[in-house]
Amino acid sequence: MTTPPPTAADPAAAPPRWAVHAAHVAAVTALPAGLWRLGLVTGWHGGYTDAGYHAVGFTGWDAVWPVTLSVLTEALALLTLGLVRPWGTVPPRWIPFLGGRPVNPRAVVIAASLGAAGLVLLWTPFLAWWATPHPNMTPLGHLLVGFLYLPAVAWGPLLAAVTVSYHRRHRTADARS
């Protein structure tokens, strides 16, 4: 699928194919961990021992946090697509306060850059997961969780790359205006 050429309403150049692919990959990096958390809420032990699962407690009000975290994380990951889609330049009219008006590309770049830096700081230490034993998990469960959270490590660098592409396209569009 190709991106339509820029229009008079959106003078920014079309994003390069690599940026579109990177944005789509970034949008799903949080999905495996989110699905794992949702599975825990439904009663699946997800690699925890019986005692560990019950100690953590994923029932009642304790289930609200994992569900909220999963939905919020995926929603934030999906925002990466705005850096390569027209709604990242002019949000749809149905969005309160922003709809139908062009966004400030500088504000988008700053927010996305801060997000990318935060994600790198948050997820890079996760690479040490396999070196740290988790007494509430089975060895296979520990390995499973490691692989389910591993894609999140790529989210920050992917967001940074797509943000650079967005910045270059909009800087070029500003120069043409």
Side-chain angles (χ1 to χ4, degrees):
M1 177 163 57
T2 61
T3 305
T7 64
D10 178 14
R17 183 174 293 179
W18 69 263
V20 173
H21 291 302
H24 281 86
V25 171
V28 297
T29 56
L31 192 58
L35 292 174
W36 175 75
R37 285 189 298 270
L38 293 175
L40 292 173
V41 170
T42 64
W44 177 59
H45 287 203
Y48 279 101
T49 62
D50 286 338
Y53 180 81
H54 293 294
V56 176
F58 292 102
T59 58
W61 283 105
D62 292 334
V64 172
W65 172 243
V67 171
T68 303
L69 181 62
S70 297
V71 171
L72 183 63
T73 303
E74 189 56 38
L76 289 172
L78 288 169
L79 283 177
T80 308
L81 295 174
L83 298 171
V84 296
R85 293 287 174 237
W87 55 267
T89 303
V90 179
R93 292 198 178 279
W94 58 266
I95 296 179
F97 307 110
L98 299 174
R101 298 184 324 189
V103 296
N104 180 347
R106 184 172 294 143
V108 171
V109 169
I110 290 171
S113 297
L114 290 173
L119 289 167
V120 168
L121 290 173
L122 175 69
W123 290 112
T124 301
F126 182 78
L127 293 173
W129 171 262
W130 289 278
T132 309
H134 198 296
N136 290 335
M137 301 193 100
T138 66
L140 181 59
H142 188 262
L143 183 67
L144 170 71
V145 171
F147 281 114
L148 291 175
Y149 272 85
L150 192 58
V153 176
W155 183 8
L158 288 167
L159 177 57
V162 177
T163 301
V164 168
S165 172
Y166 180 91
H167 172 67
R168 287 181 178 164
R169 288 191 331 274
H170 286 79
R171 183 184 60 199
T172 304
D174 289 344
R176 285 193 309 242
S177 302

